[in-house]
Amino acid sequence: MQFVEIKDLKPGMRLAKPIYNKMGVMLYDRNSFLTMSGIKSIENFGLIGLFTLEPAEPLPPVSQEDLEFEQFQVIYMFRIKEIMEQLQQGKDPTGLPALTADILKNFGSVDHKLNFIQTLRSSADFVYKHSICTAILSAMTANIMNFNKTEKNILVTAALLYDLGYLYVPRTILEKDTLAEEDLHIIQECRKKGFLLLNPDTNKYMLHTEVLNTIQQTLTMLSTTNPAEFKEKTFSKLAHVIMVTDKFNSLTAMNLHHIPLSEMTAIRRLKESPDFYQPKTVSALSSSIHILPSGCSIDLSNGDKGIVLMENPMNFLAPVVLNIRDNQIYDLSNPKVSEKVQIADIMKTMDNRIVVDEETLKQFSSDSRLQSTLSRFRQKMRQKTQATT
């Protein structure tokens, strides 16, 4: 799989991912071959590029749930774009309540982990995609933390609007890999300008008071860089959720200028700064998405490559893994094993997906020794789960 910028697209290239219009209608399916007329129409979609397949490359496995996730992202992006444009024009954001409700309907009460799939961002659509992804992550995190219906509604609404100010950040800054102090100051001022679009003094748009409070607190948190100063202030649990999901979203986002961090590395980064990123909120986020799922290809700390055979619901860093070099099985929940080898990082494809699919994974499951190990692991996990409930 490779990423090709719009200007470099050629007839005959195969699409690795589907293309949807703003209503979520599929225009081009995966494995479609590009035509000259198709390329011309794609140029009008505002995309910066597409993921394509090599001529002999098989179509990567993707679940129906993953396809729907990407479809929702496209629909939501166009809806938040319209809402933000209304606010810039001083108009009532008529679609905001419906968008919040839709996100909560699809992601606010999910009873299982999801694959959080990032979309490729450009400086032109960054703010819309960032807001949508933060809102989705916030909804899933709030569900794990057992927020009530009102709290979830306030949280997702705030997550959709807190970064309005990025509409005013110059593209030259958005396209930078490293931000200078002056850039950070400009971003902070733009965020303030964005908050004023909501008319917080008069609450012109009749937003819930806690939505405005949560946004204001979040902006204060994002502008505070001194841990000591951060500790001196008290912030709501809603603002803490956006603080965590905002950073995770930024670290794992894909664009043309840097390689995104894996979900595992991003969570590790958050855990390294407990003063800024509330540990219980980070834990809730990591419990809502797949980070090291079964079938995930990994780099091990001893330099070998491996595959996750069984996910650990209690500790995502301690699954059962298979060393590809010598077919050794490691139960990383065993302290004696984890002292010698750990997971260094996740191996990903260019579009940030895991490499091994379920059908390939089943090939390993027929081994009797492996089945015995996995059975012991399952029993141990059941006992731990029962002990904590």
Side-chain angles (χ1 to χ4, degrees):
M1 182 181 296
Q2 61 181 341
F3 175 76
V4 181
E5 293 188 53
I6 290 296
K7 63 181 178 64
D8 296 323
L9 291 177
K10 293 180 174 58
M13 289 183 171
R14 281 193 302 149
L15 293 178
K17 303 179 72 171
I19 299 176
Y20 303 96
N21 68 10
K22 66 179 183 179
M23 302 301 293
V25 177
M26 184 185 292
L27 301 178
Y28 299 92
D29 199 356
R30 296 190 317 138
N31 213 32
S32 297
F33 289 90
L34 289 175
T35 62
M36 185 58 72
S37 60
I39 293 173
K40 289 182 178 179
S41 64
I42 289 172
E43 289 175 347
N44 297 323
F45 294 164
L47 302 175
I48 59 175
L50 300 173
F51 286 106
T52 64
L53 299 171
E54 298 289 347
E57 184 179 358
L59 190 65
V62 179
S63 71
Q64 183 61 35
E65 186 174 63
D66 288 350
L67 288 173
E68 290 174 356
F69 190 102
E70 293 186 72
Q71 185 181 30
F72 281 131
Q73 284 181 310
V74 173
I75 296 171
Y76 294 161
M77 187 200 73
F78 283 105
R79 288 169 68 177
I80 193 61
K81 183 176 184 292
E82 182 178 351
I83 289 167
M84 289 185 173
E85 288 174 348
Q86 289 174 330
L87 289 168
Q88 282 184 298
Q89 297 165 11
K91 297 178 181 178
D92 188 35
T94 53
L96 181 60
L99 177 56
T100 297
D102 209 26
I103 291 174
L104 285 172
K105 175 185 175 183
N106 290 302
F107 301 103
S109 57
V110 181
D111 60 359
H112 59 280
K113 291 185 178 183
L114 293 176
N115 291 320
F116 182 69
I117 302 168
Q118 284 278 19
T119 53
L120 188 66
R121 304 176 188 181
S122 69
S123 56
D125 60 20
F126 165 83
V127 63
Y128 312 121
K129 291 180 177 178
H130 184 81
S131 296
I132 289 302
C133 286
T134 301
I136 290 174
L137 287 169
S138 295
M140 294 192 292
T141 303
N143 184 48
I144 297 294
M145 298 180 75
N146 295 316
F147 285 12
N148 62 42
K149 184 177 180 180
T150 299
E151 290 171 332
K152 288 180 180 179
N153 195 285
I154 292 169
L155 173 64
V156 172
T157 303
L160 288 169
L161 299 177
Y162 80 105
D163 243 0
L164 261 173
Y166 256 93
L167 291 171
Y168 300 107
V169 177
R171 290 193 180 184
T172 52
I173 293 179
L174 291 177
E175 292 172 356
K176 286 186 177 181
D177 287 332
T178 304
L179 299 176
E181 285 296 323
E182 182 181 355
D183 298 327
L184 295 173
H185 176 72
I186 292 173
I187 291 174
Q188 185 177 343
E189 292 303 309
C190 289
R191 278 176 161 153
K192 291 178 182 177
K193 184 177 179 180
F195 184 52
L196 293 178
L197 288 178
L198 302 177
N199 290 274
D201 293 336
T202 62
N203 197 8
K204 172 183 176 181
Y205 303 119
M206 302 297 290
L207 297 172
H208 195 295
T209 304
E210 284 306 308
V211 170
L212 296 173
N213 289 340
T214 300
I215 293 174
Q216 192 166 41
Q217 288 186 42
T218 301
L219 297 181
T220 301
M221 295 170 80
L222 290 170
S223 64
T224 305
T225 57
N226 187 324
E229 184 182 347
F230 197 92
K231 280 185 175 181
E232 292 174 357
K233 300 175 182 178
T234 302
F235 302 105
S236 72
K237 62 181 181 180
L238 305 184
H240 274 291
V241 170
I242 298 179
M243 182 72 174
V244 167
T245 55
D246 168 270
K247 187 63 174 179
F248 178 85
N249 186 12
S250 297
L251 292 174
T252 58
M254 297 184 292
N255 62 47
L256 293 179
H257 306 287
H258 69 83
I259 299 174
L261 297 184
S262 69
E263 291 89 344
M264 187 187 78
T265 301
I267 291 293
R268 280 176 168 169
R269 287 275 185 92
L270 295 175
K271 288 185 173 182
E272 289 170 358
S273 303
D275 291 336
F276 290 102
Y277 308 107
Q278 194 177 62
K280 67 177 181 180
T281 305
V282 175
S283 177
L285 170 61
S286 65
S287 297
S288 69
I289 59 176
H290 286 298
I291 298 178
L292 287 169
S294 299
C296 180
S297 298
I298 53 175
D299 290 315
L300 296 172
S301 58
N302 61 5
D304 291 340
K305 308 295 183 182
I307 297 173
V308 174
L309 296 178
M310 183 177 290
E311 189 174 5
N312 186 339
M314 306 296 291
N315 178 6
F316 70 86
L317 288 173
V320 173
V321 303
L322 176 72
N323 187 323
I324 295 176
R325 179 178 59 81
D326 57 10
N327 284 333
Q328 286 294 308
I329 301 169
Y330 302 134
D331 176 2
L332 298 184
S333 67
N334 184 334
K336 293 182 179 180
V337 175
S338 60
E339 283 179 2
K340 299 177 181 178
V341 64
Q342 302 88 37
I343 297 175
D345 206 347
I346 302 171
M347 292 169 55
K348 294 266 190 163
T349 59
M350 278 195 67
D351 67 339
N352 221 23
R353 296 182 191 275
I354 60 174
V355 177
V356 177
D357 62 280
E358 290 292 334
E359 290 303 314
T360 304
L361 187 64
K362 288 178 182 177
Q363 298 177 20
F364 299 102
S365 301
S366 59
D367 184 272
S368 59
R369 180 172 61 93
L370 173 58
Q371 286 183 337
S372 176
T373 300
L374 295 182
S375 295
R376 291 196 302 272
F377 185 79
R378 290 191 186 97
Q379 179 63 27
K380 182 169 36 175
M381 288 300 104
R382 280 195 293 268
Q383 292 173 348
K384 286 185 177 180
T385 301
Q386 292 169 357
T388 57
T389 57

